């Protein structure tokens, strides 16, 4: 997603995305959905021993900078010097890619987004995390802890790293009046036919469900990730209608930047960092808004493999990457809200945390964070919900 002052790592991430098609979601393959009510019983580490000298990670590009992309951006080498754990990173291209990599058993941990976390948990690929062994966990924002995407039955399966909202963005010179509802890209999208943009992933179905939750209460949607067959069908119908007006679906955020700057897109879903990048070039002026219906969003979590060969180094890493100074560095380079509340005292841009609403609990409360859909309804209404594989199939129908 981004970089220091919103520009430092753009070329780096763009290269990574061109090589791998990187996005937090992407268009997944037909990974099976989760249907189990309880995750497999996996042991949790109870004590922290000496580091094993090595750490093998799967991460999003920009999360494990070692100075090779920019000499001034390096938090890996200080970690290695501090712990003796030599870091080796494989960058994931999509959440599905990360899941497949984790299942090889060659990695100690992963920076997973919410559309992957439950699949990893229920698949037995990640272990419960002992947060007592991660001192910096105490001062992580409370609204990121014990979420439906990173915990099961009160047991944490990871350490929150960074987060953000999926906002509504519009070209203020073209789109008037200023939109306040997701209707701008759904029921009213015909006004900007061919210039609407949407996120290219099955998890985007939740955006439509969130809109229907507010506008069609008779459907009974309580959680946009807990959809019955009927509710999913309603979301699919809405998205098929939208499809006729979408000019481009994006997963590589650089394409959305280019589309808005060229004028081929004027309204659609976005991340804050994308708006910052567009406005920094001053070719066009865009605005972002949290619509009245609320927004979906993402929270990335560091998770420990059940097959980790270097678990002590992994715990050391989770504590280090969420320390105030390092978490601030990652957040500014990547373009996201830090999970660590004390990170705001360490950012180079004094306004960074205000721009990204880093510790704004009221803002965070408007976000429905990406959570893997499961047949066992996440909102507790039963076991008649649609699974992620159902969403994958539905997305293929929508995209045609």
């Amino acid at each position: 997603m981004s970089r220091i002052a919103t520009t430092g790592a753009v070329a780096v991430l763009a290269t990574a995305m061109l090589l791998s098609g990187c996005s937090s979601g992407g268009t997944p393959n037909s990974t099976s959905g989760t249907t189990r009510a309880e995750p497999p019983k996996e042991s949790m580490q109870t004590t922290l021993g000496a580091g094993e000298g090595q750490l093998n990670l799967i991460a999003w590009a920009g999360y494990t900078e070692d100075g090779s992309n920019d000499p001034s951006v390096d938090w890996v080498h200080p970690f290695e010097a501090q712990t003796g754990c030599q870091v080796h990173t494989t960058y994931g291209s999509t959440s599905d890619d990360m899941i497949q990599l984790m299942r090889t058993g060659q990695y100690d941990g992963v920076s997973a987004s919410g559309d992957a976390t439950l699949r990893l948990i229920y698949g037995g690929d990640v272990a419960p995390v002992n947060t007592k062994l991660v001192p910096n966990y105490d001062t992580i924002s409370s609204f990121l802890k014990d979420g439906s995407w990173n915990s099961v039955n009160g047991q944490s399966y990871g350490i929150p790293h960074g987060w953000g909202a999926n906002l509504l963005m519009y070209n203020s010179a073209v789109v008037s009046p200023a939109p306040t509802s997701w209707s701008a890209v759904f029921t009213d999208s015909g006004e900007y036919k061919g210039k609407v943009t949407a996120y290219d992933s099955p998890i985007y179905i939740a955006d439509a469900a969130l809109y229907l939750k507010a506008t069609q209460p008779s459907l009974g949607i309580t959680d946009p990730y807990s959809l019955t067959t009927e509710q999913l069908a309603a979301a699919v119908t809405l998205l098929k209608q939208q499809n006729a007006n979408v000019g481009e679906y994006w997963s590589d955020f650089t394409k959305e930047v280019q589309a808005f700057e060229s004028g081929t897109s004027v309204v659609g879903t976005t991340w804050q960092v994308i708006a910052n990048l567009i406005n920094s070039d001053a070719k066009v002026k865009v605005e972002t808004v949290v619509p009245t219906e609320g927004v979906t969003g993402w929270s990335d979590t560091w998770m420990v493999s059940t097959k980790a060969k270097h678990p002590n180094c992994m715990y050391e890493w989770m504590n280090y990457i969420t320390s105030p100074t390092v978490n601030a560095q990652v957040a500014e380079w990547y373009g996201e809200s830090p999970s660590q509340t004390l990170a705001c005292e360490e950012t180079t841009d004094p306004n960074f945390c205000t721009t990204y609403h880093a510790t704004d609990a009221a803002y965070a409360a408007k976000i429905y964070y990406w959570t893997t859909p499961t047949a066992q309804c996440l909102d507790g209404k039963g076991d008649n919900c649609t699974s992620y594989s159902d969403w994958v199939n539905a997305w293929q129908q929508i995209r045609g």
Side-chain angles (χ1 to χ4, degrees), residues 303-358:
M303 310 183 88
V304 183
S305 172
T306 52
K307 302 179 179 68
K309 297 179 178 64
H310 315 100
N312 292 319
C313 281
M314 186 62 202
Y315 267 84
E316 292 276 14
W317 173 260
M318 291 191 296
N319 190 53
Y320 173 82
I321 202 70
T322 53
S323 62
T325 299
V326 179
N327 205 227
Q329 289 177 318
V330 181
E332 285 195 283
W333 175 257
Y334 195 75
E336 65 182 355
S337 299
S339 65
Q340 174 58 251
T341 58
L342 302 180
C344 293
E345 301 171 14
E346 306 293 336
T347 57
T348 58
D349 176 1
N351 297 315
F352 182 83
C353 283
T354 299
T355 300
Y356 283 84
H357 303 274

Side-chain angles (χ1 to χ4, degrees), residues 229-374:
T229 300
E230 178 187 4
Q231 292 165 345
L232 176 61
V236 169
T237 297
L238 180 63
L239 288 165
K240 283 183 176 180
Q241 293 170 351
Q242 181 198 49
N243 176 263
N245 299 313
V246 171
E248 182 177 42
Y249 289 92
W250 66 274
S251 56
D252 175 344
F253 79 88
T254 60
K255 289 185 177 179
E256 186 177 36
V257 171
Q258 294 165 359
F260 269 81
E261 288 183 342
S262 68
T264 56
S265 291
V266 298
V267 64
T269 187
T270 196
W271 299 325
Q272 183 63 53
V273 64
I274 297 175
N276 292 354
L277 286 167
I278 295 171
N279 286 332
S280 68
D281 287 344
K283 294 179 181 178
V284 298
K285 175 68 174 177
V286 296
E287 300 287 348
T288 60
V289 63
V290 174
T292 56
E293 301 89 2
V295 293
T296 62
W298 45 270
S299 173
D300 288 346
T301 304
W302 284 103
M303 310 183 88
V304 183
S305 172
T306 52
K307 302 179 179 68
K309 297 179 178 64
H310 315 100
N312 292 319
C313 281
M314 186 62 202
Y315 267 84
E316 292 276 14
W317 173 260
M318 291 191 296
N319 190 53
Y320 173 82
I321 202 70
T322 53
S323 62
T325 299
V326 179
N327 205 227
Q329 289 177 318
V330 181
E332 285 195 283
W333 175 257
Y334 195 75
E336 65 182 355
S337 299
S339 65
Q340 174 58 251
T341 58
L342 302 180
C344 293
E345 301 171 14
E346 306 293 336
T347 57
T348 58
D349 176 1
N351 297 315
F352 182 83
C353 283
T354 299
T355 300
Y356 283 84
H357 303 274
T359 58
D360 188 343
Y363 178 87
K366 300 175 183 178
I367 301 174
Y368 290 79
Y369 296 94
W370 284 348
T371 307
T372 311
T374 63

